[in-house]
Every structure is written in C-alpha cells, then in structure tokens.
Amino acid sequence: MKRSFIFLLLLTFVHCGKDLSPFGGEPEITTLKPRLKPEWPNPNWKVVSPESVGVSSSKLGLVEEYAFTRTGDETDRKGRRTDALVILRNGKLIYEKYARNFSEDKIHLTWSVSKSILQTMYGIAVKEGLVKLDDPGYYHYEPLSRDEAHKKITIRHLLNMSSGLAAEEGYESGPLKSSVIAMLYTRGRKDMGAFCAGLPLRAEPGTQVYYSSCDTNILSAILKKVYGAEEYDKLPFEKIFKPLGITNVTFERDGSGTYVGSSYLYMTAKDLAKIGYLYLNDGVWNGERLLPEGWVQFTRTPAPGYKTTPYSEDLDQDNYTAHWYANTGVPERGVHEPWPDAPKDTFAGLGHWGQMLYVIPSLDLIIVRFGDDREKAFIKNDFLKFVKESVIR
Amino acid sequence: MKRKISVILSLLFLFILFWSQWNWKHLSSFPSIISSFYSKEYCSCYFVMQLSEEQCHDFARQWVPISEFKLDKENMSVTVKGLGRTNTAKFHSKEYGCTLVTE
C-alpha cells in the first residue's frame, strides 16, 4: 500500500508541468508566410526527385504501399481503393501514381471536395464586393425569406455549416430520410437550393455546426442570383480555373442550372493540387491576389458554433471551419483533433468515398488522393503519418 | 391467445399506417432513388470520367438491384428502371456533365 502510494506520488512529480492532455491545444492559426521562391505551375508542375526537396523516396514507398495495396476485388468494393495519389513539396511534384484506368489527364469525381471550391467562388464574390459574409442570405435569395427565423441565416452561417436548417446528411446509412439523397436524386433535384431553403430550422442560425450539403447548395443558388445566370455559368471557369491553368474540368448542375456545389465537381489530381497551392499561398496566384486578404485565415478557423454543438460521435469529422476541415479538436470537451499524427496546421477539403486534398503549410506539402472506398478502410491519420514521416528536413 | 395475437397484429398494422402517413413524403419518393442514383452516377462515370462500362456498373450499383438498363451512346443518355420507377440522366457538355432529366 505504502509502496504504491510512493509510486503514485513519484509519477505525479515526474509528470508535473507536462501537458497530459491527449487532445492537443487551442487551434494554431498562424498567418501563412509569403513564398520567397514560388513555383507556379504554368501550365504544369515542375517534376523533381523527392530527395531534392528533403523527402525520402524509400519512406514514400510506405505511403504508396499504404495507399495502393488493394484488399478487395472490384465487385465487393472493399478495402483501400485508391485511384490517384499526387504529392507536392515546395511547389514541385515529387510523387504521382494512378490506378483503375485513371491517369494524369482523367478527371475524377471529387464529391464534397466540391464544397471547398464553392467556397473559393465565395472568396471571389467577396473580393469583388458583391456579397459580404454577414449579409443575410435573403438579401440575395428570395426562398430564404419565408419567415423571420430563415431570414436570420447569413452567408457566414452557411459557410460555417451553421444555418440551423434541419437537413439529414445520412447517405447509405439512412437513405429513407436523408435530405442529401432527396436533394440530389428525388424531391430536390429540380432545384436543390429551393428544396433546402424550404427545410424547417432545428437550431438558431449560427449556434450549431451541422455538416450539410444543403447549406452549400443554398450558397450556390445565392451566387446565381448575385451574378445573374449568364455570368454565373462562366464564374468558376473564368474566375478560378482559367487563372490557375485548369482546362480539363466538369462542374455539374441541377435541373435549374445551379452548380451542385456540394458534390459534383470533377478534376484531375494535379489540377486539384493547384487549388491547394492557391490556399497554401494565402489566395495569391502567380503574384496576383485572387482571394481577399484574410480569406485563407477564415478558411482555417473553426466555426464558432462548433464549440457549442452537442457532442456527437461524428463531430470530429465535421466540416467545422468555413467549408474546409482543420486539424483542431476541442480539448475542453475531450474532442480529439481528427488527425493527431499530422501537423496541427493541416487543413483539407474532403469528400465521400475517400476524396482528399490536404494542405500542410508547416511542411510545404500538398497531397491529393482520389479513391472509391466503400468501407472505412483508408485511415486518414495513418496515411498522413506515413507522409509526414517521409519528410526528412 | 388467438385474440391476443389479433390485437397485437391490429396495433402493429395501425402503427405502420400512422408511421407511413407521417413519413409519406419520404416513402413516396424512395423507390425513385434506385433508378435516379444509378442513371445519374452511371452517366457521369461513363461520359464524364470516361471509365469502362463494367467499371461504371460497379460504381453505380447499390444493394437494391435494377431491372432495366439502357446506355444510349448516340444521345449520350442513361435510362434505368428499378423498384418500378424509371429515370434518365443525360450528358450535356464537357463543362456541365450529366443531369437527371426532370419530368
């Protein structure tokens, strides 16, 4: 008894002053440093050996083994099913591989990574002075004026996934009541924005984070009103893809001609990496500022409502910044950061069935992974750990 | 005993009736999910991502099987029947890909 007491006392002293929290600390959102030697891909990325930018080829082999080892066949659709993997360091391409009939010039469905590019469209609209983050949505989009509660929903709330609209994001898990399935395939498909704006509210706008494709498609419908249909049709192509040298791209629309910003953007892996590079460079491309100052900072900041959302098992997977994901938890509520083995400043656009765009400013890394995972066999944290360990300096 | 069973069955029936009415908007659109999902995702897989026919079937397949399938390469459309409902998705252009054809 006495011995164990002394042991416990010693243990307390040994750990005195150490951070024992397994949940990390407060989010670290430092300003991105301006790049001294930018390597703008005009039109393509410069290809170099991993070693020349401080990455170990042999350790990249472990990344490849993790991503491309197939454990199921095409019919059962199980296991890790990577279609494409592209890694860039210091703005140079150091790794590229494809599988299952994909190649460098084949576009891939990005699913919800589309949301993060819809957010880029907002960055442009804000820079052009056409919308303000705290504008109520109904200023621009009539269906949100149906009652006083809906009138409180602002653009910032929608970008923060905090509209309070009672959407059900369940996909295969609960198809009957899933509003995302109803929106994409049945009752909402003619006009997704209007369908979503018609949902009742479950919470006061801005108070709770609830990941919802509906919030994105309302945002997309708002942009159509702001720009007018003709200019809106050209908006992503002219204002984002063209400056970045992206020509091989498809962005599908709903029955009313509104971009399905929640789900249906198709790009090549190397072109999606350009979106990552735009964010890594604080919204500047080729020396020109495309996104307003502070936009990337806003992108990386957890949504305020996230702190007050009732805890759920899925919370750490939620899109709780502004249509992107950040590697921050909520220590005081015991919510772990989603990828504890990745650098804290990692942020990402993520999509259904394993679509990923990671930006890691502290390591100057961009990673694009496309897949068709039908079960949760691809563990993002394990994958990011292998990538991080491949960086030797 | 027999009476007890019939009471339980009637209660169950009533419960299902109420539940169905309560969830009618979800239930009535549900059967269409199979054919609309299959046609839209197959259309995009084949005409947008340009994968093989076999790969696109694997991509769009769900746990509820479909009963009819038609890939119209000339008109660039995909028509699928499942759970008694038929849906068509059509390819428009390189920029805008496929959309479900609305009735």
Side-chain angles (χ1 to χ4, degrees):
Chain A
M1 181 68 195
K2 204 176 169 186
R3 266 191 188 174
S4 20
F5 178 72
I6 292 170
F7 175 70
L8 272 176
L9 203 69
L10 269 174
L11 202 71
T12 314
F13 278 119
V14 166
H15 285 98
C16 197
K18 270 192 182 175
D19 179 17
L20 293 174
S21 160
F23 307 117
E26 284 297 303
E28 287 171 19
I29 321 263
T30 48
T31 316
L32 296 172
K33 289 178 202 142
R35 186 172 294 273
L36 295 176
K37 268 180 70 187
E39 291 281 351
W40 306 106
N42 286 328
N44 287 316
W45 298 104
K46 191 175 174 187
V47 183
V48 297
S49 72
E51 274 73 16
S52 70
V53 287
V55 177
S56 152
S57 294
S58 60
K59 289 205 170 163
L60 268 185
L62 297 175
V63 176
E64 175 171 308
E65 197 184 319
Y66 185 82
F68 285 98
T69 302
R70 304 185 75 81
T71 48
D73 59 32
E74 289 310 309
T75 325
D76 72 10
R77 299 184 293 183
K78 284 185 176 160
R80 299 193 291 270
R81 293 155 46 84
T82 298
D83 292 335
L85 179 59
V86 159
I87 302 175
L88 293 111
R89 184 152 206 232
N90 299 352
K92 300 174 189 86
L93 187 73
I94 56 167
Y95 181 89
E96 182 182 16
K97 188 176 168 155
Y98 302 90
R100 290 176 68 240
N101 280 0
F102 281 96
S103 58
E104 63 172 333
D105 50 9
K106 258 197 181 164
I107 54 175
H108 195 286
L109 178 51
T110 66
W111 287 112
S112 288
V113 179
S114 314
K115 292 181 171 79
S116 305
I117 286 89
L118 191 282
Q119 192 254 27
T120 317
M121 287 161 73
Y122 265 85
I124 289 178
V126 167
K127 186 161 182 288
E128 291 181 342
L130 295 169
V131 289
K132 290 192 182 74
L133 284 179
D134 292 312
D135 280 352
Y138 84 95
Y139 279 15
H140 308 284
Y141 185 60
E142 196 270 330
L144 280 179
S145 64
R146 61 198 297 256
D147 54 38
E148 291 310 308
H150 283 72
K151 280 184 178 173
K152 287 184 188 166
I153 300 172
T154 67
I155 285 168
R156 187 190 296 274
H157 295 152
L158 291 160
L159 283 168
N160 279 334
M161 293 291 184
S162 314
S163 67
L165 288 165
E168 290 294 336
E169 193 66 15
Y171 229 84
E172 292 90 346
S173 53
L176 182 63
K177 285 195 172 182
S178 160
S179 52
V180 65
I181 287 187
M183 174 190 77
L184 292 175
Y185 302 110
T186 60
R187 290 178 289 131
R189 72 194 209 193
K190 281 184 196 166
D191 186 342
M192 299 186 192
F195 169 78
C196 292
L199 292 171
L201 286 172
R202 64 148 67 84
E204 176 80 10
T207 62
Q208 287 189 13
V209 172
Y210 186 90
Y211 181 84
S212 161
S213 290
C214 262
D215 284 8
T216 314
N217 288 333
I218 292 173
L219 284 167
S220 186
I222 291 174
L223 274 187
K224 192 166 142 194
K225 293 282 181 194
V226 167
Y227 279 93
E230 210 176 303
E231 212 174 319
Y232 172 82
D233 282 349
K234 295 184 281 183
L235 175 64
F237 297 94
E238 292 287 322
K239 303 264 170 84
I240 303 173
F241 304 140
K242 201 171 163 188
L244 270 57
I246 298 170
T247 51
N248 185 11
V249 57
T250 298
F251 205 166
E252 291 176 334
R253 303 176 301 175
D254 68 8
S256 70
T258 306
Y259 288 110
V260 185
S262 63
S263 320
Y264 285 147
L265 176 65
Y266 300 72
M267 292 178 93
T268 68
K270 284 197 284 191
D271 280 345
L272 183 56
K274 291 179 180 176
I275 301 283
Y277 201 57
L278 171 69
Y279 278 75
L280 184 65
N281 286 286
D282 199 30
V284 172
W285 189 267
N286 229 352
E288 189 195 336
R289 178 159 279 290
L290 292 188
L291 304 176
E293 282 205 37
W295 189 258
V296 177
Q297 204 77 342
F298 168 60
T299 302
R300 298 163 64 209
T301 307
Y306 179 70
K307 300 275 180 188
T308 49
T309 303
Y311 181 75
S312 80
E313 281 302 313
D314 289 335
L315 196 61
D316 56 356
Q317 297 161 27
D318 280 355
N319 200 344
Y320 60 87
T321 65
H323 266 54
W324 285 65
Y325 291 76
N327 196 17
T328 51
V330 186
E332 64 272 23
R333 286 225 314 277
V335 180
H336 217 291
E337 55 270 63
W339 323 298
D341 291 319
K344 276 222 173 131
D345 61 350
T346 305
F347 63 109
L350 300 173
H352 196 48
W353 292 341
Q355 321 316 318
M356 301 162 196
L357 161 62
Y358 289 105
V359 182
I360 312 179
S362 57
L363 297 178
D364 206 336
L365 273 178
I366 293 165
I367 309 152
V368 175
R369 187 262 181 180
F370 287 145
D372 187 28
D373 305 328
R374 302 298 172 111
E375 54 170 18
K376 290 174 181 163
F378 191 97
I379 311 298
K380 297 183 188 96
N381 186 55
D382 293 351
F383 168 72
L384 288 170
K385 188 170 182 246
F386 282 127
V387 176
K388 184 179 145 188
E389 285 171 355
S390 73
V391 177
I392 41 184
R393 64 171 165 83
Chain B
M1 188 62 190
K2 244 183 177 178
R3 207 173 149 191
K4 219 175 177 180
I5 290 173
S6 54
V7 167
I8 290 172
L9 280 177
S10 319
L11 280 174
L12 196 71
F13 179 73
L14 267 176
F15 173 78
I16 291 172
L17 206 70
F18 273 113
W19 183 85
S20 305
Q21 207 195 351
W22 192 254
N23 291 291
W24 187 243
K25 67 173 181 183
H26 300 295
L27 277 175
S28 59
S29 56
F30 184 75
S32 182
I33 289 174
I34 303 302
S35 53
S36 55
F37 180 94
Y38 208 115
S39 55
K40 160 67 187 70
E41 299 310 336
Y42 190 99
C43 179
S44 301
C45 174
Y46 189 77
F47 294 112
V48 179
M49 292 202 276
Q50 300 185 341
L51 295 181
S52 71
E53 291 184 33
E54 190 192 350
Q55 278 187 302
C56 291
H57 278 297
D58 283 335
F59 183 71
R61 184 168 37 82
Q62 299 145 94
W63 54 274
V64 179
I66 56 167
S67 48
E68 278 174 45
F69 174 84
K70 190 183 166 215
L71 168 62
D72 184 342
K73 290 182 189 173
E74 203 177 314
N75 291 313
M76 302 183 109
S77 70
V78 179
T79 303
V80 175
K81 189 176 179 187
L83 288 178
R85 305 274 179 93
T86 305
N87 271 291
T88 301
K90 193 167 166 33
F91 177 81
H92 299 282
S93 63
K94 168 72 186 166
E95 287 87 1
Y96 305 127
C98 292
T99 310
L100 281 163
V101 176
T102 43
E103 319 75 46

